[in-house]
């Protein structure tokens, strides 16, 4: 989590105290190391498991307060919010551009998260949709506070659809609530069938997984059924769609899924 990557609130003293204290476990054999078997699920040099849990709890509690404000804002306007999460290069922005075109005049907006550049926001704006770029610098994910500020720059009509394209990263975005209705995990078929097993937190947190770039599957020696099997090993209830944002294959099922979620949101909004 973020106490490892450095974008949390852990102090320098926390990170460097007790330099020779090792609170991790070995468990794979063959000389392999596993630093995630303690109570915190992670190891940080110089920090006890108890201190890691304390720091992470503080960070996430603060984030959850911002997320709750966002969620109330969305609920009051009947806005459906989807947090798109993935590795870099999965095709999130291409999928968004094709989705926006297919939705026609449906009111929607996009929050784009990246460490640097406004490239993706510019691609979204080229479709005619409103978009706000959020650059995180060295940060590896969006958080509730960032999204709250981005909302100040968007004009969300009642009943709108808001896509949040998170920073490309299969680790930290899993833990941070942004006030969304659901996380949608996007996997390029070129990434390997074992990705759900390597990064289980992300796929456990997601309601829907999209296997994108299916047009490349015949050229990559990839087993799509194994992808689905591994996704359901970490999250038995996850919904799965196969599509190609480039060719349009499978897009209809994605649009139907969006339509069903919009109908649910409208019913909740009364």
């Amino acid at each position: 989590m973020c106490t490892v990557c450095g974008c949390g609130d852990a102090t320098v003293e926390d990170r460097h105290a007790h330099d020779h204290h090792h609170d991790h476990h070995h468990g794979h054999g063959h000389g392999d190391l596993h630093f995630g078997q303690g109570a915190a699920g992670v190891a940080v040099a110089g920090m006890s498991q108890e201190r890691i849990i304390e720091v992470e709890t503080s960070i996430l509690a603060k984030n959850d307060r911002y997320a709750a404000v966002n969620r109330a804002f969305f609920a009051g306007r009947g806005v459906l919010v989807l947090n798109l999460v993935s590795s870099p290069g999965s095709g999130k922005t291409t999928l968004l551009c094709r989705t926006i075109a297919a939705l026609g005049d449906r009111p929607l907006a996009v929050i784009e998260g990246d460490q640097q550049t406004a490239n993706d926001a510019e691609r979204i704006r080229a479709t005619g949709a409103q978009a706000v770029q959020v650059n995180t610098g060295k940060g590896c994910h969006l958080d509730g506070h960032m999204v709250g500020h981005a909302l100040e720059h968007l004009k969300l009509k009642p009943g709108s659809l808001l896509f949040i394209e998170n920073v490309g990263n299969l680790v930290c975005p899993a833990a941070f609530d942004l006030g969304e209705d659901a996380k949608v995990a996007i996997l390029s078929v070129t990434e390997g069938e074992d990705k759900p097993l390597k990064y289980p937190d992300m796929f456990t947190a997601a309601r829907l997984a999209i296997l994108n770039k299916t047009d490349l599957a015949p050229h990559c020696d990839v087993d799509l059924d194994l992808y689905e099997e591994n996704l359901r090993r970490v999250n038995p209830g996850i919904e799965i769609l196969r599509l190609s944002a480039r060719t349009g294959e499978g897009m209809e099922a994605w649009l139907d899924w969006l339509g069903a979620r919009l109908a649910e949101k409208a019913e909740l909004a009364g």
Side-chain angles (χ1 to χ4, degrees), residues 82 84 96 99 103 109-111 161-165 254 258:
L82 300 177
L84 305 186
L96 271 178
T99 301
L103 289 173
V110 178
I111 296 173
L161 175 57
L162 175 64
F163 293 105
I164 302 173
E165 184 176 349
W254 163 235
L258 287 175

Side-chain angles (χ1 to χ4, degrees), residues 43-94:
V44 180
M47 293 179 70
S48 68
Q49 292 287 288
E50 292 76 13
R51 179 56 179 152
I52 294 171
I53 292 170
E54 181 184 351
V55 170
E56 291 185 351
T57 300
S58 174
I59 293 169
L60 292 178
K62 186 182 299 183
N63 177 77
D64 286 349
R65 290 193 290 271
Y66 287 116
V69 173
N70 295 343
R71 183 168 282 111
F73 176 86
F74 299 138
R77 291 158 180 76
V79 175
L80 176 69
V81 185
L82 300 177
N83 182 3
L84 305 186
V85 291
S86 78
S87 302
S90 67
K92 292 194 301 297
T93 311
T94 299

Side-chain angles (χ1 to χ4, degrees), residues 4 22 24 26 29-30 35 42-43 63 68 81 83 98-99 121 181-182 196 199 202 222 270:
V4 175
H22 298 286
H24 55 264
H26 308 285
H30 308 291
F35 289 84
V42 67
N63 177 77
V81 185
N83 182 3
R98 186 150 197 147
T99 301
D181 291 285
Y199 303 96
M202 180 60 76
V222 63

Side-chain angles (χ1 to χ4, degrees), residues 15 101 215:
R15 291 181 187 138
D215 54 307

Side-chain angles (χ1 to χ4, degrees), residues 96 100 106-112 120-133 150-157 160-163:
L96 271 178
I100 291 166
R106 154 71 63 180
L108 57 83
V110 178
I111 296 173
E112 281 288 345
D120 287 349
E122 289 168 2
R123 288 177 63 187
I124 297 298
R125 292 180 191 125
T127 70
Q130 58 175 329
V132 172
Q133 181 74 48
L151 293 174
E152 297 170 1
H153 300 273
L154 291 172
K155 297 177 181 178
L156 289 176
K157 297 179 180 178
S160 291
L161 175 57
L162 175 64
F163 293 105

Side-chain angles (χ1 to χ4, degrees), residues 98 212-215 242-251:
R98 186 150 197 147
N212 191 23
K213 305 186 182 182
T214 52
D215 54 307
R242 301 180 183 184
L243 61 81
S244 168
R246 187 180 71 86
T247 68
E249 177 187 5
M251 283 292 296

